Amino acid sequence: MNLDQPDSRALESARDHALRLIEFPRALDLIAARATSALGAERVRALRPWTEHAAVEEALATTEDMVSYVLRTPEWGPPPIPNVRAALSRLGVDGSVLESLALRDCGVLLASSRRARQDVRRRTEDFGRIAALADRLLVQEALEERLDRSIDPAGELTDAASPELSRLRRSLRSERSSLVARLERFTGELPDRLRVADASVTVRAGRYCVPVRRGGRSQVGGIVHDESASTQTLFVEPAFAIEPMNRVRELELAERREIQRILAELSDTLRPLVSELSESLDALSELDALFALANYALDHGGTRPKLIPEGEEAGYRAHQVLVSGPNAGGKTVLLKAIGLLSALAQSGVIPPVGETTSLPVFDSFFAIIGDEQSIDASLSTFSAQIGNLREILESSDGRSLVLVDEIGSNTDPAEGGALAAAVLLRLSSQTALTVVSTHLGELKTLAGEEPRIVNASLQFDPATLRPTYRLLRDRPGRSYALEISQRLGIAADVLEVARARLSEGSRALETVLAELEEREDELNRLRGTLERERAVMTEERTVLDEEKAEATRRSVELKDRERAAEREARGRAERYLLDARRDVEETISTLQEGFGQLIAELPDSIAGEREALVDKARTAARVARRAVESSLSEVRSGAPEPPEESEAAVDPVRSFDLGDRVQVASLAEVGRLVTLEADRAVVELGGVRMTVSPAVLRIAPEEPEKGVRSGRKGEWRAPSLTVSSEVDLRGLRVDEIEPALVPALDAAIQADLPRLRVIHGKGTGALRERVRQLLAGDARVPSFRLGTYREGGIGVTVVELTESD
């Protein structure tokens, strides 16, 4: 944002006059106090309203960018900005040499320029306008480093400025030290009658001297350079010190020549960069000014106003607002606020306004506020106001803002009111916006004559006789003169006479306005009551919603506990039955072994009975196995126990025919019965034959649902799966992964898919880790890996379902 703005000479005087009356300079002072440098503050105080719509938009957008930048980087602030304008101007003259302090400040300018450019350019993608400003900053790191090395913070050349300067200073320190040591020894050896008490070596006229009593001058010899105030002490350079002191002086002169040479060399190095240095100084001061504007907006909750397009300004119905009401009601404050907010916004300042604020762009500002009488010009207050009104009528146009406080006052009310009405009627069709305050009752009727004029008032609390500063549109204000007078102690009989002398129209208007205020107060009270009742209802609804949510939560929690208890019980029952099955098989095996030996020892004469015993033993074993497997199947499926059946009813051999569709209870799989014997059956499942006990077989329904393991021991469900080569788990919680992944994995395996793509996303990695745990614990998965770049990267796990060659 270029803050150097051209002025329109024709309107400059009127504009500056208006800006002063609305306290625009004072507002800029408050903003400038937030700058970090004198140049930044100076730039803020130099702000003036832009008059071009596009320029105002750009200025506000740039300030808004700085606001965003400050919010994003709250630790940032403009670096030091030295005022080197005079030094740069002098440097522009060929052969000129800058002093070391000026050269130090130029080094500071280079360092600040580099730092600011680096800071701002880090976020060029977000703050383009601020980054463009940073592009104007000069970076010369080698020159910056040389200046920093050559000049210390106090502005003195360092020994590192040049090898010759370093050598000269070493020699100078050595010579001085040696000379002072000789002089101190000389002073210590002087007789008491010649020596001055507590005296030491000192410098007079640039040369080292020793103090001696005046009476010993001839005995000491040398050159007298000074005397004390009492004239009793002489400061003498002894003869033996003259030559060493001459060498010191020669070294000092050589040092001074070398310093001057270095300063000239550094000045010559900077001279070609005068233009760039001036541009950097300008850009840094603008950054500082924007920093002040941004902090002002943040401190006051400012919002960038919307600018009304130029073509739409003429479409506003109200071109003039006539504000009436009592004294001390806030009318003057309103006029100044309207003008000040508009002037600040047009100067690139984000004003303290709400988000829905829209402002026009004015070409010129005019204001008549306060007492402007002049003794020198022989002008009364009324005459001064008339002179200003004449200038406004002659100079204002369709893009002017006009602010007039107490129009038509300080003269005869009848003639003043008539003149004010004529002026307002002209201005209503001539200006973009005119805001006028008045006490004249007859002006309140202008809104009925001219649709472009609207009445307004500032709300006044009749109970406390204090303004509320709330603007009420389309309603003239009451003067409250009699009410205020009564509060201030004017006698009641005097007030009664005053009321009686009011015109009929004035009394009628005051009555109507008073009734309107009463009705509005009542409406406000009703509105407040309604709002309070609505707040209570909202609070009660919130409480009910919270209670409902708590009841729902408890219900869900109870169901979860019931399911958890049921799962735990089924798990314990399953473990018990698995142990029982193992015990039953061990017992049957032991009994079969002992029973076989017993049968073998029986005589052949009872062979028939022996075969019957064998059949009964086998039947008993089948019944035992059947009972255990049936209970285990019921526990796993969660189904209620079936009613007890007779031994004949559960005879597994008589329950099936070869080729039947059967279901293996322990596996919940459906296959075809291939072979059936008394103690074993062969079932073909998916092309694989397995041998099972007939006791674990069931007749499968004609269209069975495929049981799918959930992956957790003892739990079964039968979803209808659609075979797919990928499963998307994004959006699930970690505890929801297993019920979603395992069925998809089962379906892919049953469909003989070569691989399954599991989409879990990147996120925190919790879903990816749970998928890895489940796949690592599934013996059916030969291998798995993270996806390649084309497959989705670490957001995807690819499950290989076939062994690689």
Short mmCIF file of all heavy atoms in Angstrom, two decimals, residues 566 570 633-640 714 716:
data_model
loop_
_atom_site.label_atom_id
_atom_site.label_comp_id
_atom_site.label_asym_id
_atom_site.label_seq_id
_atom_site.Cartn_x
_atom_site.Cartn_y
_atom_site.Cartn_z
N GLU A 566 -22.63 -61.76 28.41
CA GLU A 566 -23.03 -62.94 27.63
C GLU A 566 -21.83 -63.55 26.91
O GLU A 566 -21.65 -64.78 26.89
CB GLU A 566 -24.11 -62.54 26.63
CG GLU A 566 -24.64 -63.72 25.81
CD GLU A 566 -25.68 -63.28 24.80
OE1 GLU A 566 -26.02 -62.09 24.79
OE2 GLU A 566 -26.11 -64.12 24.02
N ARG A 570 -20.44 -67.22 27.50
CA ARG A 570 -20.30 -68.21 26.42
C ARG A 570 -18.86 -68.65 26.28
O ARG A 570 -18.57 -69.81 25.98
CB ARG A 570 -20.79 -67.60 25.11
CG ARG A 570 -22.30 -67.51 25.00
CD ARG A 570 -22.74 -67.49 23.54
NE ARG A 570 -22.15 -66.40 22.81
CZ ARG A 570 -22.70 -65.20 22.71
NH1 ARG A 570 -23.85 -64.95 23.30
NH2 ARG A 570 -22.10 -64.24 22.02
N SER A 633 -21.93 -76.40 20.07
CA SER A 633 -22.51 -75.65 18.95
C SER A 633 -23.51 -74.62 19.42
O SER A 633 -23.56 -73.50 18.94
CB SER A 633 -23.16 -76.63 17.97
OG SER A 633 -23.78 -75.93 16.92
N GLU A 634 -24.31 -75.02 20.41
CA GLU A 634 -25.31 -74.08 20.93
C GLU A 634 -24.66 -72.90 21.63
O GLU A 634 -25.11 -71.75 21.52
CB GLU A 634 -26.25 -74.82 21.88
CG GLU A 634 -27.16 -75.81 21.17
CD GLU A 634 -27.81 -76.79 22.14
OE1 GLU A 634 -27.51 -76.66 23.34
OE2 GLU A 634 -28.55 -77.65 21.69
N VAL A 635 -23.58 -73.17 22.37
CA VAL A 635 -22.88 -72.07 23.04
C VAL A 635 -22.29 -71.12 22.02
O VAL A 635 -22.36 -69.90 22.14
CB VAL A 635 -21.78 -72.63 23.97
CG1 VAL A 635 -20.85 -71.51 24.44
CG2 VAL A 635 -22.42 -73.31 25.17
N ARG A 636 -21.67 -71.68 20.97
CA ARG A 636 -21.04 -70.83 19.96
C ARG A 636 -22.06 -70.00 19.17
O ARG A 636 -21.80 -68.86 18.79
CB ARG A 636 -20.22 -71.68 19.00
CG ARG A 636 -18.91 -72.16 19.62
CD ARG A 636 -18.19 -73.13 18.72
NE ARG A 636 -16.83 -73.38 19.17
CZ ARG A 636 -16.05 -74.32 18.68
NH1 ARG A 636 -16.49 -75.11 17.71
NH2 ARG A 636 -14.82 -74.48 19.14
N SER A 637 -23.19 -70.60 18.89
CA SER A 637 -24.19 -69.87 18.11
C SER A 637 -25.07 -68.98 18.98
O SER A 637 -25.77 -68.13 18.47
CB SER A 637 -25.08 -70.87 17.35
OG SER A 637 -25.81 -71.67 18.28
N GLY A 638 -25.03 -69.17 20.27
CA GLY A 638 -25.85 -68.36 21.17
C GLY A 638 -27.30 -68.76 21.16
O GLY A 638 -28.13 -68.06 21.70
N ALA A 639 -27.66 -69.89 20.53
CA ALA A 639 -29.06 -70.34 20.44
C ALA A 639 -29.47 -71.01 21.73
O ALA A 639 -28.63 -71.55 22.46
CB ALA A 639 -29.22 -71.30 19.27
N PRO A 640 -30.76 -71.01 22.05
CA PRO A 640 -31.23 -71.68 23.27
C PRO A 640 -31.09 -73.20 23.13
O PRO A 640 -31.06 -73.73 22.01
CB PRO A 640 -32.70 -71.25 23.37
CG PRO A 640 -33.08 -70.91 21.98
CD PRO A 640 -31.87 -70.37 21.33
N GLY A 714 -15.52 -67.74 19.81
CA GLY A 714 -16.82 -68.01 20.40
C GLY A 714 -17.93 -67.12 19.89
O GLY A 714 -19.05 -67.28 20.30
N TRP A 716 -20.23 -65.59 16.56
CA TRP A 716 -20.60 -65.90 15.18
C TRP A 716 -21.63 -64.91 14.69
O TRP A 716 -22.44 -64.43 15.45
CB TRP A 716 -21.17 -67.32 15.09
CG TRP A 716 -20.17 -68.37 15.45
CD1 TRP A 716 -19.82 -68.76 16.68
CD2 TRP A 716 -19.35 -69.10 14.54
NE1 TRP A 716 -18.84 -69.70 16.63
CE2 TRP A 716 -18.52 -69.94 15.32
CE3 TRP A 716 -19.23 -69.13 13.14
CZ2 TRP A 716 -17.61 -70.80 14.74
CZ3 TRP A 716 -18.32 -70.00 12.57
CH2 TRP A 716 -17.51 -70.82 13.37
#
